[in-house]
Structures are given as C-alpha cells and as structure tokens.
Amino acid sequence: MPIPEDVTGDEIDSDVRQELQSLPKTLAEDVAKNLVMVARLIDEDPEGAYGYSRVALRLASRVAAVREAAGFAAYASQKYGEALAEFRAARRMTGTVELWPVMADCERGLGRPEKALDMAGAPEVHKLDKAGQVEMRLVAAGARRDMGQLDAAIVTLQSPELASNSVQPWTARLRYAYADALLAAGREREAREWFAKAVEADRDGSTDASDRLAELDGVEFVDALAEDAADASGETAESGETAESGETAESGEADRSGESDSGSAEDRDED
C-alpha cells in the first residue's frame, strides 16, 4: 500500500521504535511507516488502517507492537474475531494485562456478553491501572445491557469514579454511559442530569453528550448553510417567475399594439 512522502516512520512512540530495533534497519523503517499510517487512519478510515496493519503484520508478526496495532485496526473495523486473536498474541508476547478490557469488549462484539462478564470478574482486572479498571467497568455495563439487564448495568456504573467531581480522561465517557443507561431505563430526568455532567467533562468532544442533552430539552438545530441555500434558491425562483411574467406582459402589449395598427390600416383602406 502507498505511503505518503511526509511519513518517515520517526513519528512512532519511542517504546515501539525500541521494539523494532530487533529488525534489520530497512525492514524496521518499512514497518514503522505502516504503523504510522495505522495510527493516522484508524479513526477516520478504519478499513484503510486495517490494510496497513496487515502489511506491517506480514513484515513483522513477531513484534508485539505490530500485533497490538493489528488488533486495534481489526477492532475499529469490527472484525472482532481477528482483533481478539491479535490481542491475545500481543498479550502472550508482553505478559501485560492492559489489553484485558478491549479483549473483553471483543467478546461482546462476537455475541458473547457472558464471557465478557467472566473477564470482568477475573484476577487480571485488579492488575489494571485506574483507567483500565474504568474501561473494564464500561465493558461490563455494556455486557449487562446486551443481556437486557438495564438495572444491573446502571448499578455496575455506579462507582467512586462516577461520583468524583474531578475530571479525568475517562470521566466524560463514564458519565455518558451512565446517562445513556438511565435513559434506556426510562429515567429521563436523571439521564438529563448526567448528560449535562458529561458535557461539562467532555473537553475534547469525545462524546455526543451535548447533542443528546439538546434532544432531551427539545432543542432543534438548524443548518444555517442549508437554510441560506434554500433562501437563495427561493429568490432565484421568484426572479425567474417575475422575468417570465414581464416577458408575457411585454408580449401581450406587442400583440395588442399589432391589433391596433392592423385595425387602423383597415380603417384607412375603407376610407
């Protein structure tokens, strides 16, 4: 797959670059460039990112960072079986547990929420950092919702992190998930309160909490550009109608003028 000229491979994290040092220099550079493309495209073009990840995987399947990148690209493309296999491979290579929550979410994607809940109760969860534990809680709540257990999902999200007033990287998503679960359970007033709290914490626009809040408040957004275009179209149509009307009037006047002249000529002939 083509690599843009501005991609050098130096953009990757230092930890990943260190992993690639086990490869021959030219090969390491090629792998690095493909990993940069995965990171660049994964949000806007998951399928494109997936394609680059497959190239990197073909070049260096024994590098944990490559297996992890391939897992995230497959996950973003909703290829949950492939993603889970890659995450498991990366975990075997590194021995770390940080991929545990996303592995559990892959189980959800594969239609196995019970397996995700089993993973949420596994000893590995206690080895996760705070961000990982919150992520695991979100996955567990999602699994409960998959199983139609709304009340259990709400209880799962109730935690010290949810109650805290401090804003952390996970705060907006946690509050949003809680609000969404409340709304699904028909608790609209409480849901509105938590969507508002999610908006307060969502400094980088990672959720659509503001839209959900506006929807609950009955606020309808109008596309100003579309409205201007419609107005311009209406003005053009009116102008066309006016011109056509003017042309008809002029034509009518010309006909009447012709009839008058014709009549005068006949009078003169009679005279």
Side-chain angles (χ1 to χ4, degrees), residues 50-130:
Y50 176 77
Y52 283 103
S53 76
R54 302 308 294 178
V55 175
L57 194 60
R58 187 172 64 249
L59 296 174
S61 62
R62 295 187 179 182
V63 176
V66 171
R67 303 303 288 265
E68 184 175 327
F72 278 110
Y75 178 80
S77 301
Q78 299 183 3
K79 298 175 175 64
Y80 299 114
E82 286 187 41
L84 186 57
E86 298 302 338
F87 289 142
R88 284 173 174 167
R91 183 167 179 265
R92 284 195 300 270
M93 292 176 179
T94 62
T96 62
V97 297
E98 61 185 26
L99 294 172
W100 196 253
V102 71
M103 290 169 64
D105 208 38
C106 286
E107 295 288 0
R108 285 186 60 213
L110 291 169
R112 301 194 292 250
E114 297 89 351
K115 179 61 177 175
L117 287 176
D118 288 343
M119 294 179 69
E124 284 82 354
V125 175
H126 300 295
K127 300 176 184 178
L128 295 169
D129 60 14
K130 182 61 68 177

Side-chain angles (χ1 to χ4, degrees), residues 134-155:
V134 170
E135 194 65 34
M136 193 72 245
R137 190 177 291 277
L138 288 167
V139 173
R144 291 291 185 189
R145 291 190 63 172
D146 293 343
M147 299 167 67
Q149 301 173 0
L150 278 175
D151 290 340
I154 291 170
V155 172

Side-chain angles (χ1 to χ4, degrees), residues 23-52:
L23 303 174
K25 187 174 186 297
T26 302
L27 180 59
E29 290 175 353
D30 288 342
V31 173
K33 290 178 181 179
N34 279 281
L35 293 180
V36 170
M37 293 305 298
V38 172
R40 178 179 289 190
L41 296 176
I42 197 164
D43 291 329
E44 301 298 328
D45 181 12
E47 287 296 333
Y50 176 77
Y52 283 103

